[in-house]
Amino acid sequence: GLIFLSQVTVSAQEFVVPVIGENAPLSSSEKPQERSLIELADESLAAGLSTTALKFYTEVYNNKEIGSSEKERAALGIATAQIERGRIAEAKSALENINDSPRKFLLGGIVAILEGDLKLAQSLSDKVDPEKLPVHEVAWIHVLRGLIHESLGDTSASNLAFSTAIKLATSEEH
């Protein structure tokens, strides 16, 4: 476990990649009182305020009056915020009761790689079509795949994946 995580840290230091929620689409409304709580949660996460985002996502998730798609969006937000906070068990728990989707597989793969479960991370990564991810999360599938290749000792493939992630994370055209 610790040896694996130290290898991930070395890679992370070599490649500057934004946090998961960074560059998330923001609401066009300028008056906070006119935005929904889920929009405020998304904006908080995009601004790097994962604890604030977690509070808002949890409030949305616990609201009995919201629909299933908003509840799922909130659960994915909770998982993302928990990953950013380093609370992997809580992130994993947030993903348990939602439908399969590219975002769920991506976040589940990130959780798996952080837990040292290479086989699960690879299986989940293989299920993700980058074209079906939100634009601001596409770079993350390449980061995940780079970490998987690195763990398998495939330096060439890991470098290619990390390079793609960097291009996507720093490009205005996704």
Side-chain angles (χ1 to χ4, degrees):
L2 285 177
I3 294 170
F4 175 77
L5 288 177
S6 69
Q7 291 173 342
V8 172
T9 302
V10 169
S11 294
Q13 290 173 350
E14 293 174 13
F15 299 99
V16 179
V17 179
V19 294
I20 294 172
E22 191 171 319
N23 297 325
L26 300 179
S27 170
S28 59
S29 174
E30 293 184 17
K31 297 181 181 176
Q33 65 272 24
E34 294 179 6
R35 289 179 284 215
S36 71
L37 196 54
I38 195 109
E39 287 174 315
L40 291 174
D42 289 343
E43 290 176 15
S44 297
L45 192 60
L49 304 172
S50 57
T51 301
T52 301
L54 179 62
K55 178 182 175 289
F56 291 147
Y57 284 127
T58 301
E59 196 172 323
V60 171
Y61 186 84
N62 291 329
N63 183 343
K64 306 247 185 279
E65 297 174 14
I66 64 164
S68 60
S69 67
E70 289 294 297
K71 193 171 197 81
E72 193 161 305
R73 182 175 165 190
L76 290 165
I78 288 169
T80 302
Q82 293 290 31
I83 289 169
E84 287 190 11
R85 296 175 74 226
R87 306 192 83 175
I88 306 310
E90 291 86 344
K92 188 175 186 177
S93 176
L95 295 170
E96 286 178 359
N97 297 316
I98 59 173
N99 295 322
D100 287 348
S101 70
R103 291 186 73 204
K104 179 181 179 179
F105 296 142
L106 169 63
L107 294 172
I110 291 170
V111 165
I113 201 87
L114 291 172
E115 289 183 326
D117 189 340
L118 182 61
K119 193 171 193 169
L120 178 59
Q122 192 166 21
S123 169
L124 292 170
S125 168
D126 290 345
K127 294 179 181 183
V128 178
D129 176 358
E131 298 291 320
K132 301 212 172 164
L133 288 171
V135 171
H136 63 277
E137 292 182 0
V138 174
W140 280 99
I141 189 60
H142 296 286
V143 170
L144 175 59
R145 290 176 178 165
L147 292 171
I148 291 167
H149 290 302
E150 183 178 69
S151 296
L152 294 171
D154 188 346
T155 306
S156 176
S158 68
N159 287 342
L160 180 61
F162 290 137
S163 177
T164 302
I166 291 167
K167 286 178 192 165
L168 290 170
T170 58
S171 170
E172 293 185 22
E173 296 178 31
H174 292 279

